[in-house]
Amino acid sequence: DEVRFEAAVDAAAANAIIDSAQHGPTSEGCLEVEGEMERTYKMTQKELKRNHLDENMARQIYDLKLEDYGPYQVEFNRSGRYNLIFGQAGHVSMMDCHQLSLQTEMHLNETIRDACFLHNETLFAVAQKKHTYIYDNNGTEIHQLQDHIDPCRLQFLPYHWLLASVGRAGYLQYTDTSTGQFVSKHRTRLGPCSVMRQNPSNAVMHLGHGNGVVTLWSPASSAYLVKMLCHRGPVQALAVDPSGKYMVTGGADRQVKVWDLRTYKLLHEYYSPQPAVSLDISQRGLLGVGHGTSATIWKDALVTKAKSPYMKHRVVGSDLQRFRFRPYEDIGIVGHSNGVASIVIPGAGEANFDSLEVNPFQDVKQRNEAEVRSLLDKLAPSMISLDPNVIGTLDRDMDAAREEKKKLAEEADLRNSKKKKTKNRMRGRNTVTKKLQRKKAVVLDANSAKYRDHLEKKAFAEDSFDVAEKEDEDIPLALKRFAK
C-alpha cells in the first residue's frame, strides 16, 4: 500500500508539472487578498519578512549600501545562483546567492557600462570605457576584445557561444567565445545604441534606438530582419519573455507597451509616472518595471491588460538603474544609485528546473561535463532566424515553390512597370503647368492621329468614287446598262 501511495503521489506531481507547463503561468504561489478592499501592492517587504516568510527566505531580503562607486547594476547567470554587481565607477563583484557569500571583488578604476556571464559562472565579460574584457571567477583578466570598441551593452547567446555587443558607434558585433574568432559586424545606421536584449527562443537580438525604433538582428544578415516603430521618443528599456511571443518596450514618452512578436502588433500599453529605465519578465510571466525610485511588478500583464500592479518597492533617496528577476527563485534584484537591494516576489520564479539544462546545485564535475556537452551541441551562427522551427524541415515540392516565386516576381515587376513616374527634367520643366501641358499634348497627339486617319480614309473613298465616274463616262451610252 505504501508503494502504491508513493506512486500515486509521484504521478499526481508529474501531472501537475505537465499541466503547469502546458497552460502557462498560474496564480499558484502568488499573493492573494482576502477582501475586496485589500490590495497586494500594499504589502511591504518588512511585513513579508516579519510575518509571512521562513528564516531561509527572509535572509534574501537585504539592502547593500555601496555609495562610493555607484550607480550599480546587476546580472544573473542562467541558473540564478550567482550574480554580478558592478558599479559605473569601476567596482565589480560576484556573489553566491545561495550562501550569500562574496566570491570575487575587484576595482578596475575605469568606467563600466555593462557586464554579463558567459557559458557558466567561471567567466564573465565587462564592457569598459574603450574595449570589452573577459575575466575569470578569481578576477584575473583573460582576454581583451579589441574589436568591440566603446561598448554600451553586452549579451551572451549560450547555445551559440556568441558574445554580442553594441556601442556608441552604432555597430552590432558578434564574437565566438569558444574559438575567439570574430563572427560578424553590422552597422545599424541609427546612431548610438544603449538598449539591447536577446530573444531566448530564437537568439535574435532586439535593439532599441533613439528615434523610437526597435530593430531585430541576426549575425547571418547584414540588414535588420524587422524594424518596428514603438515610441515617439527614445527607447530606454526593452524585455522579451522566455517563450519569445511577447516584447515589452519602455520609452521616454512614459509609455510601457506590450507587443506580439508573432504579428508585430501592439496589444496594450501602460502609463508610467516616470520613464521606464529597466524592464524584465520573469519565468512565470510577471513584468517588472523600474522607473524613478520605484520598481513596479505587474501580474498577467502580457496577455491581458492588468488593472492594478501586483507589487511595489520603493528605494528611498536613490534612482533605480536596473531591475532583474532571479531565475528559479521568487526574488528580484534592484540596482540603484547607492547600492543593491534584494526583494521577495512570490510567484515570480519557476519551481521546477531541468538538471541537464540548468542546474543551480551542480558541483565541479557536473559543471565540466555540462561545458563539454554544450560545446558538442553548439549551434552555428547561421542558424539564428526569426522562425527557429524552419530548421530541420523538408521542402518536398521544390518545383511548385519555384513557380510560386517566379509568379510573385513577375507580378512585382508588372506593378513596378505600371507605376512609372515622370522624369525629373531640367529646371522650370517640371512644374505643374508644364506637366499638364505635356499630358494635354499627348491627348491632342492621339486625337490628331485619329482625325488624320479619318481624313485619309475619306480622301481614299472620294478618289475611288471619281475613278468609277470616269470609267462610267468612257463606256458608250448603249452599253451603260450592262455596266450596272
Side-chain angles (χ1 to χ4, degrees):
D1 294 337
E2 293 181 358
V3 175
R4 291 181 180 178
F5 178 75
E6 292 177 358
V9 171
D10 295 338
N15 290 331
I17 293 173
I18 294 172
D19 183 70
S20 64
Q22 290 178 349
H23 296 88
T26 62
S27 59
E28 295 179 0
C30 298
L31 294 177
E32 298 289 342
V33 296
E34 295 182 354
E36 295 181 357
M37 302 301 294
E38 294 182 356
R39 297 291 183 268
T40 55
Y41 61 81
K42 294 184 179 180
M43 178 72 69
T44 62
Q45 294 296 311
K46 290 183 178 180
E47 188 176 353
L48 270 176
K49 186 175 183 179
R50 184 174 60 249
N51 301 328
H52 303 282
L53 298 178
D54 57 5
E55 183 179 355
N56 220 9
M57 200 66 179
R59 293 173 61 234
Q60 299 295 333
I61 299 178
Y62 56 84
D63 192 359
L64 299 177
K65 296 294 183 180
L66 306 169
E67 300 177 355
D68 296 334
Y69 300 97
Y72 277 85
Q73 302 182 58
V74 290
E75 279 294 337
F76 287 98
N77 68 334
R78 293 179 63 205
S79 66
R81 177 166 182 174
Y82 298 92
N83 70 339
L84 277 176
I85 302 173
F86 51 96
Q88 187 176 352
H91 178 215
V92 182
S93 60
M94 186 173 68
M95 189 175 72
D96 187 345
C97 299
H98 286 184
Q99 301 177 0
L100 295 180
S101 60
L102 187 65
Q103 299 292 310
T104 304
E105 185 178 16
M106 55 184 180
H107 296 271
L108 301 176
N109 297 324
E110 192 177 10
T111 302
I112 296 176
R113 299 192 183 99
D114 200 7
C116 70
F117 284 100
L118 299 187
H119 57 280
N120 55 31
E121 66 276 6
T122 59
L123 294 174
F124 59 90
V126 180
Q128 297 179 206
K129 186 176 182 179
K130 293 183 178 180
H131 301 284
T132 300
Y133 295 84
I134 296 178
Y135 299 90
D136 65 358
N137 54 357
N138 294 321
T140 306
E141 181 182 331
I142 302 297
H143 188 58
Q144 176 188 0
L145 301 176
Q146 296 184 355
D147 294 326
H148 296 250
I149 302 173
D150 203 8
C152 290
R153 288 293 177 265
L154 299 176
Q155 286 284 299
F156 181 73
L157 305 178
Y159 299 105
H160 305 79
W161 287 63
L162 293 178
L163 179 64
S165 72
V166 67
R168 294 185 177 181
Y171 285 92
L172 175 62
Q173 303 174 82
Y174 293 87
T175 297
D176 191 333
T177 58
S178 63
T179 61
Q181 295 180 351
F182 188 76
V183 176
S184 62
K185 181 178 181 179
H186 308 308
R187 184 183 176 187
T188 61
R189 303 177 186 273
L190 293 171
C193 180
S194 60
V195 179
M196 179 174 68
R197 296 294 292 271
Q198 64 170 298
N199 189 333
S201 65
N202 55 13
V204 172
M205 284 296 170
H206 295 235
L207 303 183
H209 303 279
N211 58 352
V213 169
V214 173
T215 54
L216 278 60
W217 297 81
S218 75
S221 175
S222 59
Y224 53 79
L225 305 177
V226 177
K227 186 177 182 180
M228 303 170 59
L229 179 61
C230 298
H231 293 274
R232 295 181 179 178
V235 179
Q236 295 187 343
L238 191 148
V240 184
D241 78 316
S243 66
K245 297 179 181 178
Y246 303 101
M247 177 182 69
V248 184
T249 59
D253 54 359
R254 299 186 180 184
Q255 297 291 329
V256 177
K257 300 184 179 181
V258 181
W259 304 84
D260 191 340
L261 291 178
R262 294 164 292 185
T263 59
Y264 303 105
K265 292 183 179 180
L266 177 65
L267 294 179
H268 36 263
E269 54 187 343
Y270 300 91
Y271 175 76
S272 178
Q274 292 90 19
V277 296
S278 181
L279 293 171
D280 199 23
I281 301 175
S282 73
Q283 294 173 322
R284 301 195 61 186
L286 298 185
L287 173 62
V289 182
H291 54 87
T293 60
S294 302
T296 306
I297 294 89
W298 296 80
K299 178 185 172 186
D300 299 331
L302 302 180
V303 181
T304 59
K305 186 170 183 178
K307 296 181 180 180
S308 62
Y310 172 59
M311 291 188 71
K312 287 184 179 180
H313 179 72
R314 186 167 179 267
V315 182
V316 180
S318 184
D319 293 331
L320 190 141
Q321 298 295 321
R322 182 173 292 188
F323 176 82
R324 289 290 182 268
F325 287 102
R326 179 177 165 186
Y328 305 103
E329 293 287 349
D330 295 344
I331 297 171
I333 297 290
V334 178
H336 52 88
S337 303
N338 298 323
V340 175
S342 175
I343 60 177
V344 172
I345 307 169
E350 178 63 45
N352 309 298
F353 61 88
D354 185 0
S355 60
L356 297 178
E357 175 68 17
V358 175
N359 187 6
F361 305 97
Q362 66 182 1
D363 54 17
V364 177
K365 183 178 179 181
Q366 291 174 336
R367 185 182 66 197
N368 295 337
E369 291 177 355
E371 185 174 351
V372 173
R373 193 184 307 113
S374 177
L375 273 173
L376 294 175
D377 296 338
K378 187 180 78 168
L379 301 176
S382 58
M383 299 178 70
I384 298 177
S385 62
L386 287 175
D387 187 7
N389 298 323
V390 174
I391 300 173
T393 58
L394 295 176
D395 193 357
R396 298 182 180 179
D397 196 355
M398 296 293 292
D399 296 333
R402 276 196 218 95
E403 291 294 331
E404 186 178 358
K405 288 183 180 179
K406 185 178 179 182
K407 185 177 179 181
L408 292 174
E410 291 176 353
E411 291 178 355
D413 293 339
L414 185 61
R415 286 196 299 269
N416 293 333
S417 63
K418 288 182 179 179
K419 295 180 181 179
K420 286 186 177 180
K421 296 183 179 179
T422 57
K423 294 182 179 179
N424 194 5
R425 305 193 177 207
M426 295 169 58
R427 184 183 302 173
R429 297 192 177 186
N430 205 26
T431 59
V432 178
T433 307
K434 294 292 184 181
K435 288 182 180 179
L436 292 175
Q437 289 178 357
R438 285 198 294 270
K439 290 182 180 179
K440 190 175 181 181
V442 172
V443 174
L444 290 175
D445 292 342
N447 293 335
S448 301
K450 290 181 181 179
Y451 185 65
R452 202 180 303 113
D453 293 339
H454 174 69
L455 292 179
E456 289 178 358
K457 290 180 181 179
K458 186 177 180 180
F460 178 76
E462 291 178 354
D463 292 342
S464 60
F465 182 73
D466 293 341
V467 171
E469 284 185 349
K470 288 180 181 179
E471 290 178 352
D472 292 344
E473 291 176 357
D474 294 339
I475 299 173
L477 185 60
L479 298 176
K480 278 186 179 181
R481 57 178 181 155
F482 297 105
K484 293 179 181 179

